[in-house]
């Protein structure tokens, strides 16, 4: 190492570690520097790669990168949060939940979208978490915790419980307490068909027995729960293409602690207040059963400022009056009814939306297909330029002011009459 360069490194590392010059001369200093790109939070704390409890390892795709590849755990967590924030605004990751973004960030699926926010300090590469670098200390703590739980479980006294089977009516349904606030609505049967008899009549021919991924996956305690049905199985999703039969395209479980998911609670409480155990697709009008657990419907819910049909439920969300609407799986995939813009003839595609959950914006306004959808609802002048795009899908559902007539309105949220209904070929 050149003499000047050695002196500079010695000064930096000597300040960080408070080491004497003799110690500095005999160590590899670059391996002890925190390589976090956005500034080290604890420059006075020395990095020890052998102590894995407080250190995270990253990899730079620049083979000539001179930095250490190690970060303080606190620095890494702070940097990772900034990358996750960037990922929220990237392509298909906008529709991912927080849990999905955390799971996908350092896999190919998420990193291909977020790598631009992972630039290394060397200026010629991008950082990525080293997934093969196992935190041995954490693994050991987890093993100890499991052993303690197993030991405590074995010491617990065994209780013998007598469970009384609930009465079964003549229609085969078990009686249950009402989940809704009214307390008088009868429970729905978990064995009911999720669609009307004529729904997907042509589509079910597409179902491939080899793709029946959910055929053997059953719900325990599949009786009705309150006014909402309990799914007996997930076989209604077997008509989907094989690559969509997974938890990324179908909302399968709560994200909150102990199942306290805000979205599911909001949906069920809103529908229970309206005494609706079923809803209707705003495109084709077919009836959809509402279930008490994810996936909540065989389609998806969304809320927006416009009431697209009489079946939409008025709710209050973010201190605004909005309308809760639903679209069935057949219309999202384009099997039942296809929508085509009357102005540019471009079809609307909902096949990328996650099934069984709720979006907090109008899904028809999220991706404007032509300039007609960017015009003011009052004076019909362009609210934004055709080449201008807003940052988030939800921005198109917000109220904006027209630059010409100053009308404050949800200009980008148009009526469904802007679309032409096209029946798919038989």
């Amino acid at each position: 190492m050149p003499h000047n360069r050695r002196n500079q490194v010695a000064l930096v590392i000597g300040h960080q570690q408070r080491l004497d010059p003799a110690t500095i001369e005999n160590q590899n200093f670059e391996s002890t520097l925190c390589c976090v790109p956005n500034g080290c939070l604890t420059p006075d704390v020395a990095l020890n790669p052998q102590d894995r409890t407080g250190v995270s390892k990253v990899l730079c795709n620049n083979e000539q990168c001179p930095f250490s590849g190690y970060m303080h755990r606190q620095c890494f967590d702070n940097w990772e949060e900034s990358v996750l924030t960037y990922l929220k605004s990237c392509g298909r990751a906008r529709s991912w939940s927080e849990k999905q973004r955390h799971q996908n960030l350092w896999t190919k699926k998420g990193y291909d979208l977020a790598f631009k926010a992972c630039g290394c300090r060397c200026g010629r590469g991008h950082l990525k978490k080293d997934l093969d670098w196992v935190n041995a200390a954490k693994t050991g703590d987890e093993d100890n915790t499991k052993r303690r739980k197993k030991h405590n479980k074995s010491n617990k006294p065994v209780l013998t419980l007598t469970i009384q089977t609930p009465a079964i009516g003549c229609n085969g349904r078990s009686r249950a307490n009402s989940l809704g606030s009214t307390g008088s609505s009868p429970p729905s049967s978990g064995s009911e068909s999720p669609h009307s008899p004529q729904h997907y009549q042509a589509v079910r021919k597409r179902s491939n027995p080899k793709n029946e991924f959910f055929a053997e996956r059953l719900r325990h305690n599949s009786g009705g729960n309150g006014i909402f049905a309990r799914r007996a199985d997930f076989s209604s999703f077997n008509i989907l293409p094989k690559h969509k039969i997974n938890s990324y395209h179908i909302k399968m479980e709560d994200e909150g602690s102990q199942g306290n998911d805000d979205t599911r609670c909001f949906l069920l409480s809103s529908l229970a207040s309206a005494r609706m155990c079923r809803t209707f697709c705003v495109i084709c009008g077919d009836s959809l059963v509402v279930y008490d657990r994810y996936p909540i419907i065989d389609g998806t819910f969304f809320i927006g400022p416009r009431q697209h049909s009489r079946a939409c439920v008025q709710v209050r969300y973010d201190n605004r009056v909005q309308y809760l609407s639903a679209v069935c799986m057949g219309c999202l995939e384009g099997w039942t009814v296809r929508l085509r813009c009357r102005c540019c003839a471009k079809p609307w595609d909902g096949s990328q939306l996650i099934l069984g959950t709720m979006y907090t914006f109008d899904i028809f306004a999220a991706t404007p297909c032509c300039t007609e959808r960017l015009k003011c609802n009052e004076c019909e002048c362009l609210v934004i330029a055709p080449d201008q795009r807003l940052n988030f899908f939800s921005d198109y559902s917000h109220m904006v002011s027209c630059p010409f007539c100053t009308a404050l309105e949800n200009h980008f949220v148009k009526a469904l009459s802007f679309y032409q209904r096209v029946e798919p070929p038989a």
Side-chain angles (χ1 to χ4, degrees):
M1 180 182 295
H3 181 71
N4 293 337
R5 171 63 176 165
R6 185 171 63 251
N7 290 341
Q8 292 174 1
V9 174
L11 289 174
V12 174
I13 305 303
H15 173 71
Q16 288 189 355
Q17 298 189 4
R18 306 182 186 278
L19 301 177
D20 58 273
T23 305
I24 294 175
E25 186 70 27
N26 295 321
Q27 289 191 2
N28 183 2
F29 311 111
E30 293 181 351
S31 65
T32 61
L33 283 173
C34 179
C35 67
V36 63
N38 53 358
C40 181
L41 299 175
T42 54
D44 292 334
V45 179
L47 265 177
N48 182 6
Q50 303 301 322
D51 179 17
R52 299 189 177 189
T53 57
V55 177
S56 293
K57 186 179 179 181
V58 292
L59 301 174
C60 180
N61 56 7
N62 174 23
E63 296 181 356
Q64 306 300 323
C65 179
F67 294 98
S68 66
Y70 295 98
M71 299 183 190
H72 297 103
R73 179 61 56 83
Q74 183 182 359
C75 295
F76 174 82
D77 292 341
N78 182 64
W79 174 69
E80 186 181 46
E81 281 300 322
S82 67
V83 180
L84 284 168
T85 302
Y86 175 82
L87 184 61
K88 290 181 181 180
S89 62
C90 297
R92 61 180 181 272
R94 294 175 181 175
S95 62
W96 290 352
S97 64
E98 289 294 331
K99 182 178 179 181
Q100 288 173 329
R101 279 191 282 266
H102 275 278
Q103 290 176 340
N104 297 339
L105 176 59
W106 303 118
T107 65
K108 180 175 175 59
K109 189 172 184 178
Y111 186 72
D112 286 348
L113 299 174
F115 77 95
K116 291 183 179 179
C118 302
C120 180
R121 290 170 59 189
C122 69
R124 296 185 178 182
H126 296 86
L127 299 177
K128 184 178 181 181
K129 182 179 181 181
D130 188 354
L131 298 179
D132 297 329
W133 199 67
V134 181
N135 192 324
K138 183 177 179 180
T139 303
D141 291 341
E142 290 177 352
D143 292 340
N144 293 334
T145 303
K146 290 179 180 179
R147 283 195 294 269
R148 284 196 300 269
K149 287 183 178 179
K150 185 176 180 180
H151 177 73
N152 294 336
K153 185 177 179 180
S154 62
N155 291 336
K156 290 181 180 179
V158 179
L159 298 179
T160 303
L161 300 178
T162 302
I163 302 176
Q164 184 176 0
T165 304
I168 305 296
C170 60
N171 57 356
R173 291 184 292 186
S174 61
R175 299 184 183 273
N177 295 328
S178 173
L179 180 67
S181 58
T182 59
S184 59
S185 301
S188 300
S189 171
S191 60
E192 291 182 14
S193 173
H195 308 287
S196 58
Q198 61 268 35
H199 193 75
Y200 298 158
Q201 202 166 34
V203 179
R204 290 191 183 277
K205 296 179 182 179
R206 301 170 180 254
S207 182
N208 186 351
K210 295 181 180 179
N211 293 343
E212 293 187 358
F213 178 80
F214 293 121
E216 299 299 327
R217 183 170 180 174
L218 304 178
R219 290 278 196 187
H220 297 289
N221 302 324
S222 59
N225 184 10
I227 68 172
F228 302 109
R230 177 69 61 89
R231 284 188 186 270
D233 56 46
F234 300 88
S235 59
S236 59
F237 295 102
N238 286 329
I239 59 177
L240 290 170
K242 189 175 181 180
H243 70 276
K244 288 190 175 182
I245 305 178
N246 53 58
S247 59
Y248 292 108
H249 293 89
I250 305 170
K251 179 75 171 177
M252 299 300 298
E253 60 185 6
D254 291 344
E255 292 177 14
S257 60
Q258 301 178 0
N260 297 323
D261 185 86
D262 292 339
T263 300
R264 183 175 64 87
C265 293
F266 170 80
L267 279 171
L268 297 185
S269 61
S270 299
L271 294 169
S273 298
R275 301 187 182 183
M276 293 179 60
C277 61
R278 288 176 176 267
T279 187
F280 299 88
C281 175
V282 297
I283 298 178
C284 67
D286 277 341
S287 174
L288 296 169
V289 174
V290 179
Y291 297 96
D292 63 346
R293 293 291 187 272
Y294 288 121
I296 293 181
I297 59 170
D298 294 346
T300 194
F301 282 104
F302 69 93
I303 56 176
R306 182 179 288 273
Q307 187 176 16
H308 291 294
S309 74
R310 291 191 302 173
C312 301
V313 179
Q314 181 175 310
V315 297
R316 192 164 190 86
Y317 190 85
D318 283 346
N319 295 322
R320 293 182 294 167
V321 174
Q322 303 207 59
Y323 294 91
L324 177 64
S325 310
V327 180
C328 70
M329 181 168 57
C331 291
L332 290 173
E333 296 290 332
W335 297 334
T336 309
V337 176
R338 293 178 180 176
L339 297 181
R340 192 179 298 275
C341 179
R342 294 183 182 273
C343 304
C344 65
K346 185 176 180 179
W348 177 80
D349 182 17
S351 60
Q352 300 302 316
L353 299 177
I354 301 174
L355 298 174
T357 185
M358 183 191 76
Y359 286 85
T360 57
F361 53 84
D362 191 299
I363 59 177
F364 300 109
T367 53
C369 56
C370 60
T371 56
E372 292 297 320
R373 297 190 168 274
L374 303 177
K375 290 184 177 180
C376 172
N377 289 335
E378 298 291 335
C379 65
E380 297 188 354
C381 295
L382 284 174
V383 178
I384 60 175
D387 58 345
Q388 181 182 353
R389 284 294 179 263
L390 303 182
N391 293 329
F392 304 102
F393 293 144
S394 58
D395 290 344
Y396 291 97
S397 297
H398 295 163
M399 296 183 69
V400 293
S401 178
C402 174
F404 295 94
C405 68
T406 68
L408 183 63
E409 195 180 334
N410 303 103
H411 295 292
F412 306 125
V413 181
K414 308 296 184 183
L416 287 183
S417 58
F418 267 66
Y419 288 107
Q420 178 185 5
R421 292 163 57 93
V422 179
E423 299 293 334

